[in-house]
Amino acid sequence: MFARTAWTVFRKDLTVEVRTRETLATTLFFALSAVIVFAVALVRDGRVVADAAAGILWVAIAFAGTLTLGRTFERERYTDTLRALLLAPAPRAAIYVGKLLAVVAVLLLTELMLVPLVALLFDAALLQRPGLLVALLVTGTIGFASVGTLFAAMLVRARSRDVLLPVLLYPITIPVIIAGVRGTAALAQLVPDEPMATFWVMLLAAFDTVFVTLALWTFDPLMTD
Amino acid sequence: MLQRSVPLLLVTTIAAFSVAPFLIHNAPYESTMGLVQKIFYFHAPAGIVMFLSAFVCGISSAIFLFRGRQGADRVAVAAAELTVLLGTIVLATGPLWARKAWGVWWQWDARLTSSLLLWMMFTACLLVRRYGGPGSDKLAAAVAIFGMFNVPFVYVSVNVWRTLHPKTTVVPMLGPGMREPFWFCILAFLSLYVLLLALRVRLAEQQATLDARYLELDDRASA
Amino acid sequence: MSVDFDEVRASGLGRHFGRRRALSNVSFSCRAGEVLGLLGPNGAGKSTLLAIASTLLRPSTGHLQYGAHEASRAGAPLRQRLGWLGHDLQLYPELTARENLIFFARLQGVTAVDARVARALTDARLESRADDLVSGFSRGMRQRLALERALLHDPRLLLLDEPFTGLDGPSTIALASRLTRLAGEGRLVMLATHDVDLADDVLTRALVLRDGRLVDDISGRGWRQAYRAALSRES
């Protein structure tokens, strides 16, 4: 029942996304705009400040993530479908997992296009250790989205939800951003620092474990008024 | 129990903070830093009590969320506000020290950065209560619980990030004659914390009573 | 564990948001087969009462019993017996009618999804538009689809919030007769509306709410005159 419900919700979200491509298209474009803004700020005499590419990549991911989360739950708010989801006899946490997987999937797709773009524009050697980079991106995205999905779901009913999501989300996910940026920077060095990157992947995995567990634990009491 | 100890706490706190300046004044001068080092006697205890307060807030939020105890929610509000207040003291005294020790107002030092992040998480908690509309008490509870569990992650990540760079200054070890006033100040801040917590919880209780009376009156008027 | 009931009993239900009282000391009981109307002007507490009945909102005081079960204890098996049709209709405009129904049927744990969805499409009289996107549907079509969506799992208690809003004459009559039939099948239908005329022929009983309080409980025919009388008495 749990896995099937999560899968049903996940597939529904992906179907909507594939049909409209709305989140992906707007998010990607927004991420690109963010990248340009950073280029203006950080490029001097045609060259980028050291480590800037890693920072730009993760800030773009964080912005794109907020946008994706907001959009995903705006869809559930639009015709009050969130209420129908919560009234399903399935365990509530399964709904959370389904939404989380959909957000992670959309974000990973965005990153798939964002990473080569940043590597190209800033001449950064991001792809020297693709395995570790993927591990960083996947664990980082899950960490960001696990907190974000819970908060966005709670905020569906709140006033000024658009403002409050980043206000709540960014301070809590700072460790993810630090780990992502430092890990990516370690991989983009002339000689990639594998132990360092591995350490950050482990930290992110621990973060994911703690916060996914916490979210599963708190989702049910949070969603009843 | 918390409420009945208010007079005692009030006396203790006033006494402690009246004595503290003399103890700090009489403590030996730190050789390199001189006078500015004395900020440390308020800065560090505020930081320690701030961390304690974050955990008080997180735990009482969890009790509120899972048991639905209104009392726990009131403690959570009080602790969140005090975490922010103590954080503000830490963040104001830190740069004063930094200006003298490191020559800059703000240094991305591991502890200062962690304190800033902790301060931000609990400020977010207050923002959500203020602007979230109905049901935001639960939202704030979730933020506090997440914030509490986030403390180790913030600490580890900021530390590892910062040690990638050369260390600027090591906080001087406490010499003889400095340890006693330091511990005294920690106790003073603890006493202040419990006092403010008790008063703030009492205020929240009175607000709840007022709301209940208001509803009763409303009922009677319309019945 | 499976949960069923043929009676819903409210005792002393109240709900406040801070200092705003949304519902105050409401008690009543109703049985399967009834079409119970929650009537009253906007802000009377109808939606709050419906939300409490749907188990998604906890009452500040009092309780609601579903037969032998209480909302806070029964959880998921009780939700299995509740159908909800809110004012916003709970349909994904980006999906087709069939996709919407299949999604909710799976979510509700319905067995033999395809057959059930086909029957629902027939009941909604939307077979020919089954594979069109809901975004292109008229309000009446959406309303029919949403009602079948709420009935997919054969709920005992059907909750409707302002179901007649935005419907034309024929659609209103069709919905009314459908609700009467559903009650005849042994369901308990509870609907909130502020428009008395539209709900005219459907209700077997009406609870009149005003400022969060239950001001009248009118059974059988003639509730309309009684409702008017109750409201004018109040104001």
Side-chain angles (χ1 to χ4, degrees), chain A residues 19 76 79 83 88-89 225, chain C residues 58 76 79 90-92 99:
Chain A
R19 192 153 296 164
E76 300 293 356
T79 63
R83 194 193 289 261
D225 244 336
Chain C
R58 274 197 206 111
R79 294 204 292 274
Q90 292 84 43
L91 295 168
Y92 295 99
E99 284 168 337

Side-chain angles (χ1 to χ4, degrees), chain C residues 173-195:
Chain C
I173 295 169
L175 175 61
S177 70
R178 186 75 209 282
L179 292 180
T180 308
R181 219 161 54 237
L182 288 170
E185 290 165 8
R187 274 178 249 273
L188 171 52
V189 180
M190 207 184 273
L191 69 90
T193 180
H194 67 278
D195 196 329

Side-chain angles (χ1 to χ4, degrees), chain A residues 4-5 8 11-12 16 19-20 75-76 78-81 83-90 92 224-225, chain C residues 15 54-58 76 79-80 84 88 90-95 99 103-104 106-109 133:
Chain A
R4 212 184 46 195
T5 306
T8 307
R11 261 196 27 197
K12 185 269 298 172
V16 171
R19 192 153 296 164
T20 62
R75 279 194 188 128
E76 300 293 356
Y78 178 56
T79 63
D80 201 18
T81 38
R83 194 193 289 261
L85 294 185
L86 293 176
L87 276 173
R92 294 256 166 84
T224 356
D225 244 336
Chain C
R15 173 74 203 207
S54 77
T55 73
L56 285 184
L57 187 69
R58 274 197 206 111
R79 294 204 292 274
Q80 178 76 64
W84 171 273
D88 296 318
Q90 292 84 43
L91 295 168
Y92 295 99
E94 304 93 340
L95 298 181
E99 284 168 337
F103 170 68
F104 283 107
R106 289 213 180 107
L107 202 65
Q108 294 286 355
L133 294 184

Side-chain angles (χ1 to χ4, degrees), chain C residues 18-104:
Chain C
R19 279 190 187 180
R20 195 172 67 77
R21 176 81 85 188
L23 205 62
S24 170
N25 197 23
V26 169
S27 304
F28 65 92
S29 75
C30 49
R31 301 191 61 81
E34 281 188 86
V35 181
L36 181 71
L38 307 176
L39 304 180
N42 287 330
K46 296 168 298 191
S47 296
T48 308
L49 185 51
L50 273 189
I52 291 175
S54 77
T55 73
L56 285 184
L57 187 69
R58 274 197 206 111
S60 315
T61 56
H63 8 216
L64 197 59
Q65 288 271 132
Y66 305 78
H69 308 279
E70 203 175 325
S72 52
R73 302 269 164 68
L78 177 63
R79 294 204 292 274
Q80 178 76 64
R81 309 300 294 139
L82 306 178
W84 171 273
L85 173 54
H87 179 60
D88 296 318
L89 301 182
Q90 292 84 43
L91 295 168
Y92 295 99
E94 304 93 340
L95 298 181
T96 67
R98 192 191 305 278
E99 284 168 337
N100 263 295
L101 291 175
I102 290 177
F103 170 68
F104 283 107

Side-chain angles (χ1 to χ4, degrees), chain B residues 138 210-211 215 219 222, chain C residues 16 18-19 21 24 58 213:
Chain B
K138 284 198 169 180
L210 201 62
D211 283 352
L215 285 173
D219 276 355
S222 56
Chain C
H16 58 89
R19 279 190 187 180
R21 176 81 85 188
S24 170
R58 274 197 206 111
R213 283 170 306 111

Side-chain angles (χ1 to χ4, degrees), chain A residues 50-63:
Chain A
D51 288 356
I56 292 167
L57 175 67
W58 282 89
V59 171
I61 290 174
F63 284 0

